[in-house]
Amino acid sequence: RKEVEQDPGPFNVPEGATVAFNCTYSNSASQSFFWYRQDCRKEPKLLMSVYSSGNEDGRFTAQLNRASQYISLLIRDSKLSDSATYLCVVHDYTGGFKTIFGAGTRLFVKA
Amino acid sequence: DVKVTQSSRYLVKRTGEKVFLECVQDMDHENMFWYRQDPGLGLRLIYFSYDVKMKEKGDIPEGYSVSREKKERFSLILESASTNQTSMYLCASSTRTSGRAYEQYFGPGTRLTVT
């Protein structure tokens, strides 16, 4: 089992739709969680950190479910500009620092 | 705005050459990272550094070394380039300040081709 797993997609949604991605992680001791977006041939850019209580930034909501060991990203009112690959990132600090990226979920938003 | 720059966007080297990839950040971040990104494999950590002259191996350090002589600069060295090191190399930096710890900011990447 991979340490961090994401559905590769692609998710094809119309503008205005709500879409959600999940990311599962295998180490229950993982401590920090993030979502990044990566446009084609560009570097990843931080979208948001994921806090235990859940957090929201405009149209984006991130949640953490420690019991089931997954994080989620919800995008409301999708825009064409949301088309990208979304990467989840998990940090472990036990036994030394470790940062693990998921392989990403591709999203296409269509007019 | 955090700015992370990398010395080259595209690089073509021959097998056996020594290759230097440079990364500079302007935000006084303590941590710096080197990753490679390959299709289907995602980003994999090669090395990271949490302070000047300090380094830790990541998941795939074999065939690579690093140098951090100044806080703002982190270099990745391929001692003897091989074709399986053809990849996109991404540098990142982050602070350790509580509340923003380990939010990583990436440079634009260097696409290295080894022939």
Side-chain angles (χ1 to χ4, degrees):
Chain A
R1 184 186 169 189
K2 287 185 183 174
E3 293 176 281
V4 175
E5 289 198 78
Q6 295 184 252
D7 182 340
F11 285 63
N12 294 290
V13 302
E15 269 188 296
T18 295
V19 62
F21 312 130
N22 281 346
C23 168
T24 59
Y25 59 95
S26 61
N27 185 355
S28 60
S30 297
Q31 296 183 23
S32 302
F33 308 88
F34 306 86
W35 283 104
Y36 286 74
R37 71 168 277 165
Q38 186 171 26
D39 295 293
C40 191
R41 296 199 176 91
K42 298 279 193 179
E43 72 273 20
K45 290 198 160 94
L46 177 68
L47 185 63
M48 56 201 303
S49 301
V50 186
Y51 303 123
S52 297
S53 54
N55 45 302
E56 191 174 302
D57 183 2
R59 299 181 293 108
F60 298 85
T61 300
Q63 296 209 307
L64 167 63
N65 185 317
R66 282 197 183 275
S68 300
Q69 293 180 210
Y70 73 87
I71 62 171
S72 63
L73 179 68
L74 181 80
I75 306 175
R76 287 181 299 278
D77 189 23
S78 299
K79 312 288 185 197
L80 295 176
S81 57
D82 293 335
S83 297
T85 297
Y86 290 84
L87 309 173
C88 70
V89 183
V90 174
H91 288 174
D92 292 335
Y93 304 100
T94 51
F97 173 75
K98 201 170 179 182
T99 177
I100 307 150
F101 278 73
T105 297
R106 294 195 73 186
L107 171 67
F108 292 102
V109 181
K110 298 183 185 298
Chain B
D1 248 11
V2 177
K3 189 149 187 196
V4 181
T5 56
Q6 295 183 227
S7 49
S8 307
R9 291 301 300 274
Y10 300 94
L11 211 50
V12 180
K13 295 291 182 180
R14 292 192 183 277
T15 302
E17 279 193 81
K18 191 167 186 175
V19 182
F20 292 87
L21 302 181
E22 298 273 316
C23 174
V24 178
Q25 50 96 2
D26 67 358
M27 281 301 292
D28 201 36
H29 282 171
E30 297 88 351
N31 303 321
M32 295 189 76
F33 308 82
W34 274 107
Y35 295 89
R36 62 179 283 177
Q37 185 172 29
D38 301 288
L41 296 176
L43 274 85
R44 292 178 292 166
L45 181 65
I46 304 171
Y47 268 98
F48 75 97
S49 168
Y50 52 90
D51 204 347
V52 175
K53 296 193 188 295
M54 307 303 288
K55 61 185 179 185
E56 293 283 342
K57 291 180 181 178
D59 298 317
I60 51 163
E62 297 79 18
Y64 303 95
S65 61
V66 290
S67 171
R68 192 158 180 210
E69 297 296 318
K70 293 186 178 181
K71 190 175 185 179
E72 68 271 16
R73 190 178 296 269
F74 192 34
S75 302
L76 180 70
I77 302 142
L78 286 66
E79 297 290 343
S80 177
S82 63
T83 54
N84 63 11
Q85 292 179 310
T86 291
S87 187
M88 170 67 84
Y89 289 88
L90 290 155
C91 173
S93 72
S94 76
T95 183
R96 284 206 299 271
T97 304
S98 179
R100 281 277 181 259
Y102 293 101
E103 291 180 347
Q104 295 180 54
Y105 296 87
F106 284 83
T110 296
R111 186 165 292 281
L112 172 67
T113 302
V114 183
T115 62

